[in-house]
Amino acid sequence: MYSHSDSRLQYDMVKIVAVLSYITVFGWLIALFLYGDHKSSFARFHLRQSLGLILTGAMLAFIPLIGWLLCVGVIIAWCLGVFHAINGQRRFLPIVGKFYQTHFDFIQ
């Protein structure tokens, strides 16, 4: 039987997984590993959003000048993602958030 403190601990772990997923590729891998023990739709949502940002930022980094300028938008989206994860909100990132959710559906 779960007590109130157990459910609060579970909620806190899910938030940790969500926030950790935005902290570099290594943070994303650690979050994915922790996600196996603490599966939730909230953590899954943020794992997908952060993976999309990581891949988008990596691809844009290879495009001189224009790609580098577009990386500023990725940084802004990253800040929004971290903010929403910390506040326990599930909000799509501007422009690309729904795309990430539908195309990274292999994260179950």
Side-chain angles (χ1 to χ4, degrees), residues 32-75:
L32 185 64
F33 177 74
L34 291 174
Y35 171 72
D37 293 335
H38 304 283
K39 289 190 179 224
S40 76
S41 61
F42 179 74
R44 180 174 49 246
F45 177 85
H46 284 286
L47 280 166
R48 290 175 179 169
Q49 297 285 292
S50 61
L51 178 61
L53 286 176
I54 290 168
L55 294 176
T56 302
M59 287 189 299
L60 288 174
F62 288 109
I63 303 171
L65 194 57
I66 294 172
W68 300 337
L69 292 173
L70 291 174
C71 276
V72 172
V74 172
I75 292 169

Side-chain angles (χ1 to χ4, degrees), residues 2 15 22 51 61 95 107:
Y2 289 108
K15 278 181 65 174
Y22 287 96
L51 178 61
I95 303 170
I107 299 173

Side-chain angles (χ1 to χ4, degrees), residues 6-104:
D6 289 339
S7 63
R8 181 68 186 173
L9 179 64
Q10 177 67 16
Y11 175 74
D12 289 342
M13 277 305 296
V14 167
K15 278 181 65 174
I16 288 170
V17 168
V19 172
L20 190 59
S21 71
Y22 287 96
I23 314 281
T24 73
V25 173
F26 298 113
W28 190 87
L29 291 171
I30 293 168
L32 185 64
F33 177 74
L34 291 174
Y35 171 72
D37 293 335
H38 304 283
K39 289 190 179 224
S40 76
S41 61
F42 179 74
R44 180 174 49 246
F45 177 85
H46 284 286
L47 280 166
R48 290 175 179 169
Q49 297 285 292
S50 61
L51 178 61
L53 286 176
I54 290 168
L55 294 176
T56 302
M59 287 189 299
L60 288 174
F62 288 109
I63 303 171
L65 194 57
I66 294 172
W68 300 337
L69 292 173
L70 291 174
C71 276
V72 172
V74 172
I75 292 169
I76 292 169
W78 176 84
C79 290
L80 284 172
V82 171
F83 176 77
H84 294 311
I86 289 171
N87 289 323
Q89 299 171 340
R90 189 181 322 188
R91 293 196 180 162
F92 292 109
L93 296 172
I95 303 170
V96 292
K98 289 183 182 179
F99 177 83
Y100 294 157
Q101 288 302 311
T102 57
H103 287 84
F104 294 129

